[in-house]
Amino acid sequence: FSASFLWLPRFHGAIAIINDTTFFIFHSNMSTIISNTNTFGMTDYEKRLKPGEVSTGTTIMAIPFEGGVVLGADSRVSTGTYVANRVSDKIAQLSEHIFCCRSGSAADTQTLTDYVKHFLSQLTIETGRQPTVKTAAHLMRRLCYENKDQLLAGVIVAGWDSVEGGSVYNIPLGGTCLKMPFAVGGSGSTYIYGLIDSEFTPGLNAEQARTLVKKAVAHAMARDGGSGGIIRTVLVTADGNDRDYTPGNDLPYGPGGY
């Protein structure tokens, strides 16, 4: 690699500038590194990622309907401006009728979903019945809240159970848990709040809910550099789960949909 060196007389050392985000400071013996990271120009979100950690970037959302719920997400995983995975699955199954949409650090959210899936499996064996969405959400909330200083995770827990039917719980950064009429999250969510407020109405049927999810996520993918790839959706009802994906050249809005 190439680097620029600058001598610092008062410090009795030198600074080696590698690129826009990395520099090294050496003592005069050229052996001691004082600093090797430069966060200038990085967003607060990027600063919270651990070295080498990838971000799911992300647009995620969930909408309940009479008899179930629809979850949707894009598929881009990024490390800064580099796309590490263009077809990842950000919708994780926690139980038979409960799913989770992941945003934030890929490693953190995968670990969280693995823990919650394990705990729910144990609970199912002990009680002899399927857990509720509320139980899954509060398990996730507890893990997120009690480890909020070490995690970068915003998730949506949604699904169907015999108590509440279709329900959606939003757990943003920090570990707050809120039951919502619909939920949207990730870096692409800021672009589509107005669209969803305009298009969403209570009492949507399954097909209307899935169509709205795809439309909203496609709009976010067109505007947000951290979101992209394909759209994955899951329709959850008492009768089962229906997974679906929309390829990048068949989006309802954007480069493939103009």
Side-chain angles (χ1 to χ4, degrees):
F1 61 88
S2 61
S4 300
F5 287 88
L6 177 66
W7 177 251
L8 305 174
R10 295 184 62 184
F11 179 70
H12 299 290
I15 178 171
I17 303 172
I18 307 301
N19 54 41
D20 291 339
T21 60
T22 305
F23 67 83
F24 298 89
I25 300 177
F26 300 91
H27 262 291
S28 55
N29 61 11
M30 299 300 285
S31 62
T32 305
I33 299 176
I34 306 302
S35 174
N36 65 352
T37 56
N38 177 15
T39 57
F40 178 75
M42 296 175 65
T43 65
D44 290 338
Y45 177 86
E46 291 172 324
K47 292 175 185 177
R48 293 185 62 179
L49 288 172
K50 303 174 186 69
E53 198 168 31
V54 298
S55 165
T56 54
T58 303
T59 302
I60 55 174
M61 68 180 298
I63 296 179
F65 61 89
E66 191 66 34
V69 66
V70 174
L71 302 91
D74 73 304
S75 65
R76 176 172 292 177
V77 173
S78 55
T79 64
T81 58
Y82 177 77
V83 178
N85 186 349
R86 60 192 179 91
V87 287
S88 68
D89 188 357
K90 302 179 185 179
I91 307 176
Q93 188 168 10
L94 302 179
S95 186
E96 186 174 349
H97 298 294
I98 305 173
F99 286 78
C100 171
C101 292
R102 306 180 293 109
S103 71
S105 161
D108 290 350
T109 54
Q110 285 174 356
T111 302
L112 285 169
T113 54
D114 285 347
Y115 269 110
V116 173
K117 185 175 182 179
H118 170 69
F119 291 144
L120 292 179
S121 176
Q122 286 186 317
L123 183 64
T124 301
I125 295 171
E126 291 172 5
T127 62
R129 60 177 182 269
Q130 290 296 319
T132 63
V133 180
K134 184 176 182 178
T135 299
H138 282 277
L139 274 172
M140 184 70 75
R141 186 269 313 162
R142 182 168 183 177
L143 289 170
C144 290
Y145 181 77
E146 293 182 356
N147 300 280
K148 61 184 176 181
D149 293 331
Q150 287 78 41
L151 297 174
L152 182 61
V155 301
I156 297 171
V157 177
W160 177 93
D161 60 59
S162 58
V163 178
E164 294 183 314
S167 57
V168 172
Y169 290 83
N170 193 20
I171 307 171
L173 296 176
T176 301
C177 183
L178 298 168
K179 186 179 181 182
M180 307 285 283
F182 64 85
V184 58
S187 58
S189 64
T190 54
Y191 298 91
I192 56 174
Y193 275 110
L195 172 65
I196 300 171
D197 287 339
S198 173
E199 298 276 334
F200 174 79
T201 55
L204 296 174
N205 61 37
E207 196 55 41
Q208 289 171 328
R210 176 170 263 173
T211 299
L212 176 56
V213 167
K214 289 185 178 183
K215 180 178 180 180
V217 174
H219 273 75
M221 290 164 62
R223 300 294 182 189
D224 175 38
S227 303
I230 65 176
I231 299 175
R232 298 185 191 274
T233 63
V234 179
L235 190 151
V236 185
T237 65
D239 299 326
N241 312 312
D242 177 40
R243 276 189 174 267
D244 172 70
Y245 87 99
T246 304
N249 62 348
D250 196 28
L251 300 175
Y253 178 83
Y258 283 128

